[in-house]
Amino acid sequence: MAHGAEREAEEQRILIHADSRYAAYTMDLDYMWRWEILRDDEFVQEGCSLSLDSAREAVSHVLRFFQRQDEAAAQPGGNSAEIKRLLQTLGTPIPIDDRNETTKNELAQPE
């Protein structure tokens, strides 16, 4: 019985976006439209909207954000780890306490 309900839910999903990496589906729940985004067939984001048009708009907005992240990660220097390494080689102090931004250099210097 659960398998039948699962199949029925799959049939109610509406594909609203598809490209080589992302797919987005929405489902009318009568009181709202639930949507979800998959990246490389893995769930990454969900949300809900009041209409089909607003679901499409919301999905489009989230996809633009993910696509900008993908583009930045593909470019040299676009990764935060690489930027952090570069800053360290330039002598930028490394925070040891993110809450108050105390750095190793500040702790090493006598007052």
Side-chain angles (χ1 to χ4, degrees):
M1 184 76 172
H3 184 66
E6 194 174 295
R7 184 178 303 158
E8 183 178 320
E10 285 292 320
E11 291 171 1
Q12 293 175 352
R13 290 183 356 158
I14 301 167
L15 179 67
I16 58 174
H17 177 87
D19 63 30
S20 61
R21 186 150 195 220
Y22 293 93
Y25 297 89
T26 190
M27 180 186 297
D28 184 1
L29 301 177
D30 292 331
Y31 57 95
M32 71 177 181
W33 288 79
R34 181 186 175 280
W35 51 265
E36 64 181 21
I37 299 173
L38 307 176
R39 176 177 35 217
D40 301 328
D41 296 322
E42 300 272 332
F43 172 82
V44 290
Q45 182 76 33
E46 70 179 338
C48 41
S49 300
L50 295 177
S51 69
L52 177 57
D53 286 341
S54 62
R56 288 180 194 273
E57 186 176 339
V59 165
S60 177
H61 178 75
V62 173
L63 285 172
R64 279 193 303 272
F65 175 79
F66 286 150
Q67 290 163 345
R68 282 193 306 269
Q69 280 186 325
D70 292 346
E71 290 169 8
Q75 296 176 7
N79 296 327
S80 61
E82 188 171 330
I83 292 170
K84 184 176 180 180
R85 183 194 54 75
L86 176 62
L87 290 172
Q88 289 172 349
T89 61
L90 296 173
T92 304
I94 303 166
I96 58 170
D97 186 346
D98 291 334
R99 290 170 290 173
N100 64 15
E101 298 180 1
T102 304
T103 64
K104 289 181 181 179
N105 291 353
E106 291 170 345
L107 292 177
Q109 297 173 356
E111 294 184 16

